[in-house]
Amino acid sequence: MIKLLAGIMLAWNVFAVDKTAFSGSKFFYYDSADRVEILTDIYKQTKSEYALWEIKKKRIGVDGDKVFKDAIAKELQIGDVTTPLLQSRANLDYLSRVKETIAKFQDTHFGMNPVISAPWVLTGLDTKLVEGKILVTGFYDKVIQKTIQMSDDGATIASIALGDEIISVNGVSAVENAQSFEKYVDGSSIGFRKNQAGGYVMARYFAYPTKPYADVEVKIAKTKKTVRVRLPWYASDNTKRKDALFYFKETGFPSLADLRIKWNAKLRTWEKDKSLKFRGSNGAGLPSGAIELENWKSAATGGSTIVRSALILKDAKAYGFLQVNSFSVRELFKAEEKKDFISAIRGAVKYFKEQDLQMILDIRNNGGGNGNFPEQVLSLITEEGKTYQNTTWAKRITRYVRQFIDYYLTDELYREISNEEFWQEMIDQIYVAVSENSNHTPAITEGVVEADKLVGGYDKKIVALISPSCISACDIMSMLLKDSKRATLIGTTANGTGAGYWSNDKLSTNFEDRYHIFKTNIPNSLFGYPGAAGTAVYGADSAYELNSENRPVIADVEYIQTKNDFLNDSEDWIEKAIEVLKAE
């Protein structure tokens, strides 16, 4: 009996958790043990399933083991705190540190988000990095108007206009301020990290300010004078994070909740209105002077523009303008009409062909989506009789990927992820890689791209506008255009991603840590540049050699967006596009 009891006690000690459930009285406080366990979970899952684990080390010197071990060691050095105010701030700082840790992998596709979302804080100004300066590129009018009403600097704040330059924030230059946020950005290229960081100077959801206001210097373009104003940091109310709500209330951050109403004059009553009335340029609008033909949106009522076609007139000549803002929406709407994504683009290309128009293809702000759409778009603009090489794909051999084999025949997973023939080839290569103890399959391709039969070939000149905000499937589109030389690319670079997700409800890439504090999708599939013609399966190291991660497509003609582009709806972009079309 004594031996039996001793065995039971030993087993109990092995599985006991030396951790109280009462950490934090007003909210769940992440103490040192929690923080380390959460990071350990993320570390194990990332190393186990992340498709780019070895590639990152070889290509850009990011050693995943060191990244996580350093982060865990740092948490062990940070002591626990006891008061609710300190605990609330400690929680928010931990969210930022984890974001910084994952950002070290320099992958736009791989970020770590709180399960209960982190709230934004904002001043009412929208900023971007433009020509090496931090410029005001938009306003949240409700926020700014509230600040003007309650501030002694109201008249000065009201004089700030689009295009004015932010000189400094709390005595630190605005450019340096932006640079300090680059380490938090999940970005596959330096251009993307810099651009994103420029937008965090006056609005962000991490690295929260410690004071509820910012002292800002602004150079007013109209008067050429520099003014100094104090802008409140407004805390977002659309969060369920009790730690954040507690911290913002206790430290005096004004809430956006007071601004989410509007007056209904007809009913003479106040109503809820979530909009903060943004005014400014996001680069995805109709270019200056363009005549819109069709505007296909993501929803029947409202929604965002996904595919837009227009005419641009210059020196008595017309050019076709085709803007594709996403590859993620399959079904599009225009008033009462409905079309699938490819049909909407096909209609525009056919019209340009009938009118004998050269084309400006705008994919600058395309955040990606379905990786099979780019080859179909290339098909729509391919000349009759021509063929072009397709994208390449590969797999890192993980336990997750090996399960594809188990599900392949029983659940016909390929129907949800890819076509049957390509899926069979990938499964075959997974078998080969496993049998040879190889970390990766070779890169394989889905074949060649031919001209769409319904368009019948489009042979006019094309320029394509790209930027670091051309992400994921848009990277693939850029690669196909670059490799085929079907379009002259104008801009700087695309984003530079090279890994995505092959996933469904049975084999999900979703991840949450044991305490459900963080969640993410871990990229499990590699993609990259087209390979040599006439080959379906490439060499042993082709998964690395052809992979596009951190190797963004570089534009054929460099163009850096200007202040005028933000003030006048991409006017200089279009001027450059027409200049290139005329020169070819």
Side-chain angles (χ1 to χ4, degrees):
M1 176 63 72
I2 293 175
K3 289 182 179 179
L4 178 61
L5 287 173
I8 292 173
M9 291 302 295
L10 178 61
W12 173 257
N13 287 333
V14 168
F15 293 103
V17 178
D18 184 19
K19 166 70 183 165
T20 176
F22 300 98
S23 177
S25 57
K26 296 181 180 294
F27 43 80
F28 179 31
Y29 165 57
Y30 317 144
D31 64 17
S32 179
D34 296 330
R35 299 194 304 268
V36 168
E37 287 176 342
I38 290 166
L39 269 173
T40 300
D41 285 353
I42 298 171
Y43 175 19
K44 288 180 177 179
Q45 194 72 6
T46 303
K47 185 172 184 176
S48 175
E49 306 298 348
Y50 184 37
L52 290 161
W53 185 264
E54 291 92 353
I55 289 175
K56 286 290 182 179
K57 186 173 183 179
K58 186 175 181 180
R59 179 160 293 160
I60 59 173
V62 173
D63 183 337
D65 290 309
K66 186 176 187 306
V67 167
F68 281 109
K69 287 176 181 177
D70 287 350
I72 290 170
K74 184 175 182 178
E75 292 304 324
L76 289 170
Q77 294 173 357
I78 298 174
D80 290 330
V81 293
T82 55
T83 67
L85 182 59
L86 291 176
Q87 288 180 343
S88 62
R89 181 70 205 197
N91 275 9
L92 297 177
D93 287 344
Y94 179 60
L95 300 184
S96 297
R97 289 197 300 275
V98 172
K99 181 172 178 58
E100 180 183 358
T101 296
I102 300 303
K104 292 181 187 297
F105 286 93
Q106 298 180 34
D107 183 354
T108 307
H109 267 147
F110 185 32
M112 195 63 59
N113 302 306
V115 172
I116 304 175
S117 62
W120 282 78
V121 293
L122 51 89
T123 62
L125 300 182
D126 182 66
T127 60
K128 287 184 174 61
L129 178 67
V130 183
E131 298 178 295
K133 300 176 181 178
I134 303 299
L135 300 186
V136 177
T137 54
F139 297 94
Y140 294 93
D141 278 339
K142 281 188 177 181
V143 178
I144 286 295
Q145 289 304 316
K146 179 68 173 179
T147 298
I148 290 171
Q149 291 169 13
M150 67 181 189
S151 173
D152 293 338
D153 297 328
T156 304
I157 295 169
S159 71
I160 299 173
L162 291 173
D164 288 347
E165 181 185 356
I166 305 294
I167 300 296
S168 71
V169 180
N170 296 329
V172 179
S173 84
V175 172
E176 288 180 33
N177 209 287
Q179 289 170 346
S180 72
F181 299 131
E182 289 179 23
K183 65 183 180 181
Y184 297 102
V185 178
D186 310 310
S188 298
S189 60
I190 184 62
F192 181 74
R193 295 193 293 275
K194 285 184 175 295
N195 287 350
Q196 290 294 105
Y200 292 139
V201 173
M202 293 278 93
R204 57 185 178 271
Y205 60 98
F206 57 89
Y208 293 107
T210 56
K211 296 184 293 186
Y213 59 85
D215 291 319
V216 184
E217 285 185 301
V218 185
K219 185 175 182 180
I220 307 297
K222 185 176 181 179
T223 63
K224 297 183 180 179
K225 293 182 179 180
T226 297
V227 300
R228 294 171 177 81
V229 295
R230 176 165 288 186
L231 299 177
W233 283 107
Y234 291 81
S236 177
D237 58 312
N238 58 352
T239 180
K240 295 181 180 179
R241 293 200 66 91
K242 292 186 179 298
D243 48 10
L245 293 172
F246 179 85
Y247 179 77
F248 293 139
K249 181 179 179 180
E250 292 297 309
T251 50
F253 283 70
S255 173
L256 290 176
D258 299 334
L259 305 180
R260 297 192 190 276
I261 57 173
K262 67 178 180 180
W263 176 251
N264 186 321
K266 184 177 181 180
L267 299 178
R268 298 191 59 77
T269 185
W270 290 100
E271 297 177 337
K272 289 183 179 180
D273 179 21
K274 293 183 178 180
S275 171
L276 297 176
K277 303 299 181 186
F278 179 78
R279 168 172 55 92
S281 172
N282 61 9
L286 186 68
S288 177
I291 303 168
E292 188 169 81
L293 298 172
E294 292 188 317
N295 187 344
W296 291 94
K297 297 192 173 186
S298 58
T301 55
S304 57
T305 295
I306 304 299
V307 174
R308 171 189 274 126
S309 59
L311 294 177
I312 294 176
L313 306 179
K314 180 72 173 179
D315 299 330
K317 184 174 181 178
Y319 300 87
F321 175 79
L322 177 60
Q323 185 179 65
V324 183
N325 289 326
S326 176
F327 289 114
S328 65
V329 185
R330 292 179 179 272
E331 197 169 67
L332 305 181
F333 301 86
K334 179 168 67 75
E336 300 298 319
E337 193 176 354
K338 181 170 67 174
K339 276 189 179 181
D340 66 84
F341 175 78
I342 294 299
S343 293
I345 298 176
R346 181 183 287 118
V349 175
K350 288 178 71 174
Y351 177 80
F352 295 159
K353 179 182 177 180
E354 291 165 2
Q355 301 300 316
D356 200 29
L357 300 177
Q358 296 175 344
M359 186 193 303
I360 300 170
L361 174 61
D362 182 4
I363 52 175
R364 289 172 295 165
N365 296 286
N366 188 314
N370 189 323
N372 294 319
F373 279 159
E375 66 185 80
Q376 296 177 58
V377 174
L378 178 60
S379 173
L380 297 175
I381 58 176
T382 292
E383 308 96 314
E384 187 175 10
K386 287 286 190 72
T387 60
Y388 296 119
Q389 287 298 107
N390 209 336
T391 316
T392 52
W393 300 84
K395 293 288 183 188
R396 177 189 175 214
I397 303 303
T398 66
R399 287 171 293 179
Y400 177 95
V401 166
R402 291 196 64 174
Q403 290 179 67
F404 282 140
I405 300 172
D406 299 331
Y407 280 106
Y408 168 55
L409 290 175
T410 56
D411 288 291
E412 297 178 323
L413 193 62
Y414 63 82
R415 289 185 180 175
E416 299 179 37
I417 295 178
S418 186
N419 67 69
E420 182 175 0
E421 183 179 351
F422 178 72
W423 179 252
Q424 179 64 64
E425 184 62 64
M426 181 60 77
I427 291 296
D428 290 345
Q429 294 306 320
I430 291 173
Y431 270 116
V432 172
V434 169
S435 67
E436 295 178 352
N437 292 321
S438 176
N439 285 331
H440 300 89
T441 69
I444 67 174
T445 184
E446 291 189 70
V448 297
V449 178
E450 300 176 336
D452 179 77
K453 293 180 180 179
L454 295 180
V455 173
Y458 175 81
D459 61 3
K460 302 304 173 186
K461 293 178 182 177
I462 303 173
V463 295
L465 313 182
I466 64 170
S467 81
S469 293
C470 169
I471 304 169
S472 187
C474 191
D475 277 307
I476 293 174
M477 186 79 252
S478 299
M479 284 186 272
L480 292 175
L481 292 172
K482 181 82 170 183
D483 184 74
S484 66
K485 297 181 173 58
R486 185 62 194 95
T488 300
L489 304 183
I490 301 174
T492 51
T493 71
N495 187 273
T497 57
Y501 319 99
W502 277 25
S503 178
N504 74 353
D505 59 344
K506 293 184 178 64
L507 292 174
S508 175
T509 56
N510 294 339
F511 163 77
E512 287 188 12
D513 66 85
R514 72 184 75 180
Y515 295 130
H516 310 288
I517 304 303
F518 290 99
K519 64 179 180 179
T520 191
N521 283 299
I522 300 178
N524 70 330
S525 184
L526 302 169
F527 61 81
Y529 287 87
T535 303
V537 180
Y538 294 91
D541 202 28
S542 56
Y544 174 80
E545 293 167 346
L546 292 172
N547 180 257
S548 55
E549 180 69 25
N550 305 122
R551 296 170 58 209
V553 170
I554 299 172
D556 301 304
V557 177
E558 185 180 48
Y559 176 79
I560 298 173
Q561 64 185 352
T562 66
K563 176 179 175 179
N564 187 51
D565 283 319
F566 287 98
L567 296 179
N568 292 296
D569 299 313
S570 302
E571 185 176 68
D572 291 350
W573 272 102
I574 299 303
E575 286 287 337
K576 173 58 72 172
I578 292 174
E579 174 190 316
V580 172
L581 283 172
K582 285 182 175 180
E584 290 186 341

